[in-house]
Amino acid sequence: MRTTITTTGPLTARNPPGTGSGTGPPVYDVTVIGAGVVGTAIARELARHPLRTALLDASDDIANGTSKANTAILHTGFDAVPGTLEARLVREGAHRLRAYAAGAGIPVERVGALLVAWDKEQLAALPGLLKKAERNEYHAARLLDADELRAREPRLGPGALGALEIPDESLVCPWTTPLAYTTQAVRAGVHLHLNCRVRDIGDDDGLHTLTTSRGTLRTRHLINAAGLYADEIDRLLGHDEFTVTPRRGQLIVFDKLARDLVRHILLPVPTAAGKGVLVAPTVFGNVLLGPTAEDIDDKTATGSTAEALALLREKGRRILPDLLDEEVTAVYAGLRAATGQEDYRIRSRPDERHITVGGIRSTGLTASMAIAAHVVGLLGESVDLGEPAELPPVTLPNLGEAFPRPYQDAALIARDPAYGTLVCHCERVSAGEIRDALASTVPPGSPDGLRRRTRAGNGRCQGFSCGAAVRALFEEARS
């Protein structure tokens, strides 16, 4: 196994194994820019090959952009544009991720979805959407009349005329997924460089030279999976073929007491702007309402607005009126990488030794493993990747409410009382889970990162009661 170096400080002058002697900047075979769910999936796929691989991100943690703030749905791809690359990769990715999640500790709940028609025009569109699903090789969808819809969702608002049932749409944990990918990649020898913003890219003697916020790095091949910043990285490589427009999606998270109000993912009939506002359970036991779809200019504008939240409440009142009587746990916003094209922008330039993976929108979580296989396949068309090997399996701690948690395991607590000592009472997070996350292969870079690994501070009090204790444990582990 190759030496594993996880770096968060300055880039070391030491070369990874096999890159030769000297004290120059590190040289890699392949470098992936962007440690979101797609970039980490690509790094994991590359780790199966005898390559010197680096994974970079400008943030202090993995999956700290679009990947941490989405609707957390494992899609079937029933409504993708038939024949597109996205349609194929979502379909393949759903199967891959479902199988991978079962062993990796990623919570998945197959609750199914109902695409609800609220007027005659939407009702008339459902048969076409059924045919679209079949063209996308999804054959389990079926039409429901108003009576059957009401039997399935008795708390649904008045006026629903029918629905298209998609029984395999599922809930998934958006945080554990990229963490599992990264953990496997790092354990297999991929070098993770965080707080590492790429400022310039040069090309010298067959090597890309990356000037970063932490020093210089050299690589033979480059994969641009920078999400919202993929267009900017492409321009550093001399190309100006697309522009990423941040599409902000604001969401409201309702308390766990609302969970019994809804049995399925409730979807609207989609429009050109996106899938629209939905109501969906989460694997954490809450209920989501959202997202909005606002094209903005600022790639850092993840704040919520009063106007958007009022709009969500108005739409939610029609879909599930009783939801509006429940307590709100949190609001958040994520930015999706819209490019004005209804497909992924994945392009290989073998003569220039780089691949762009851009325009990966809300389906990126579902498609991530298939995108990774596709991208590494493109790389293999011009590079000898060597023989692939199976990676040692990983099983991460479960964060889902539908599966056993440590505080419920008497035998585990008997062996280690730390798992019976609750630090976050809202989410039932134990001291043992926090300790394990802080000592893990890919530890959090902030208390927010610790929250995504354990749920500590994610509950109804939003860290008011446990925040000081959680931060103290975090700071103690870093000292």
Side-chain angles (χ1 to χ4, degrees):
M1 182 166 299
R2 303 185 294 281
T3 302
T4 299
I5 305 172
T6 302
T7 57
T8 54
L11 287 170
T12 63
R14 172 176 49 189
N15 285 333
T19 58
S21 59
T23 58
V27 178
Y28 293 99
D29 293 319
V30 188
T31 294
V32 181
I33 301 176
V37 71
V38 171
T40 58
I42 294 170
R44 175 191 172 276
E45 188 68 21
L46 288 167
R48 300 176 59 236
H49 299 270
L51 301 167
R52 296 175 295 275
T53 301
L55 175 63
L56 317 183
D57 201 274
S59 176
D60 64 1
D61 202 357
I62 64 160
N64 213 9
T66 299
S67 298
K68 75 176 182 182
N70 51 59
T71 52
I73 293 174
L74 181 53
H75 297 286
T76 58
F78 78 96
D79 60 344
V81 177
T84 60
L85 179 63
E86 179 179 16
R88 176 171 69 83
L89 296 182
V90 170
R91 183 169 61 249
E92 294 176 5
H95 294 300
R96 287 174 179 260
L97 181 51
R98 208 178 286 277
Y100 179 74
I106 300 169
V108 172
E109 290 185 54
R110 180 180 172 273
V111 297
L114 299 174
L115 195 70
V116 180
W118 295 95
D119 58 41
K120 291 182 179 180
E121 183 179 355
Q122 293 177 4
L123 187 66
L126 294 184
L129 289 167
L130 176 61
K131 291 180 180 178
K132 188 177 188 180
E134 292 168 347
R135 289 173 62 197
N136 281 316
E137 300 182 24
Y138 184 76
H139 301 287
R142 70 187 191 95
L143 297 170
L144 306 181
D145 62 24
D147 291 339
E148 188 170 3
L149 172 60
R150 182 68 54 186
R152 293 291 192 88
E153 287 290 349
R155 310 298 283 271
L156 204 62
L161 301 179
L164 179 66
E165 181 191 18
I166 314 295
D168 295 298
E169 293 278 301
S170 302
L171 315 175
V172 64
C173 178
W175 304 330
T176 310
T177 305
L179 183 60
Y181 296 159
T182 313
T183 299
Q184 275 193 305
V186 169
R187 288 181 182 176
V190 171
H191 292 200
L192 175 63
H193 299 288
L194 299 174
N195 291 306
C196 189
R197 183 178 298 278
V198 176
R199 292 175 172 161
D200 196 15
I201 302 175
D203 197 319
D204 181 34
D205 195 26
L207 292 175
H208 298 289
T209 301
L210 277 61
T211 303
T212 80
S213 54
R214 289 186 26 243
T216 303
L217 179 151
R218 294 183 296 167
T219 186
R220 293 180 177 86
H221 302 275
L222 193 61
I223 297 175
N224 169 14
L228 291 168
Y229 299 90
D231 57 340
E232 298 178 29
I233 296 297
D234 237 30
R235 291 186 190 107
L236 292 179
L237 290 163
H239 301 282
D240 191 8
E241 295 186 352
F242 68 95
T243 297
V244 172
T245 300
R247 182 165 291 162
R248 182 167 60 190
Q250 301 187 45
L251 298 103
I252 301 174
V253 183
F254 287 88
D255 188 78
K256 290 176 174 56
L257 293 175
R259 178 63 184 83
D260 290 339
L261 296 178
V262 60
R263 302 172 181 176
H264 303 78
I265 301 163
L266 302 179
L267 300 172
V269 176
T271 67
K275 296 181 184 297
V277 173
L278 57 81
V279 172
T282 75
V283 293
F284 312 120
N286 300 92
V287 176
L288 288 181
L289 171 62
T292 57
E294 314 154 47
D295 286 345
I296 59 177
D297 297 325
D298 186 351
K299 294 182 178 181
T300 65
T302 56
S304 299
T305 66
E307 294 80 9
L309 297 181
L311 173 66
L312 290 179
R313 292 181 65 86
E314 178 184 339
K315 290 184 176 294
R317 184 172 287 107
R318 181 179 192 183
I319 301 167
L320 204 69
D322 293 342
L323 184 62
L324 277 298
D325 295 328
E326 299 295 330
E327 295 289 335
V328 171
T329 294
V331 298
Y332 69 93
L335 302 178
R336 312 192 284 282
T339 64
Q341 174 178 300
E342 287 193 5
D343 202 357
Y344 297 158
R345 291 182 180 266
I346 299 178
R347 176 165 180 180
S348 175
R349 294 184 173 91
D351 293 343
E352 300 176 25
R353 307 179 319 284
H354 65 83
I355 299 173
T356 297
V357 187
I360 311 299
R361 299 174 298 169
S362 58
T363 55
L365 172 59
T366 299
S368 54
M369 298 189 82
I371 293 172
H374 177 69
V375 169
V376 174
L378 292 175
L379 183 66
E381 291 176 1
S382 57
V383 177
D384 181 6
L385 302 177
E387 289 299 315
E390 290 299 316
L391 297 174
V394 299
T395 302
L396 297 187
N398 163 58
L399 296 185
E401 280 293 287
F403 307 91
R405 300 274 305 285
Y407 77 91
Q408 299 168 315
D409 190 334
L412 177 63
I413 294 169
R415 293 194 301 272
D416 187 342
Y419 292 110
T421 304
L422 293 185
V423 177
C424 172
H425 287 261
C426 292
E427 297 294 289
R428 306 292 193 269
V429 181
S430 68
E433 293 167 274
I434 293 174
R435 175 201 62 202
D436 294 349
L438 292 169
S440 64
T441 302
V442 186
S446 66
D448 191 51
L450 181 58
R451 176 180 62 84
R452 293 195 297 274
R453 285 162 174 79
T454 64
R455 289 173 43 182
N458 205 44
R460 64 175 61 179
C461 84
Q462 289 293 286
F464 180 83
S465 298
C466 69
V470 170
R471 179 169 285 279
L473 291 170
F474 175 80
E475 297 295 345
E476 181 182 349
R478 287 168 63 95
S479 62

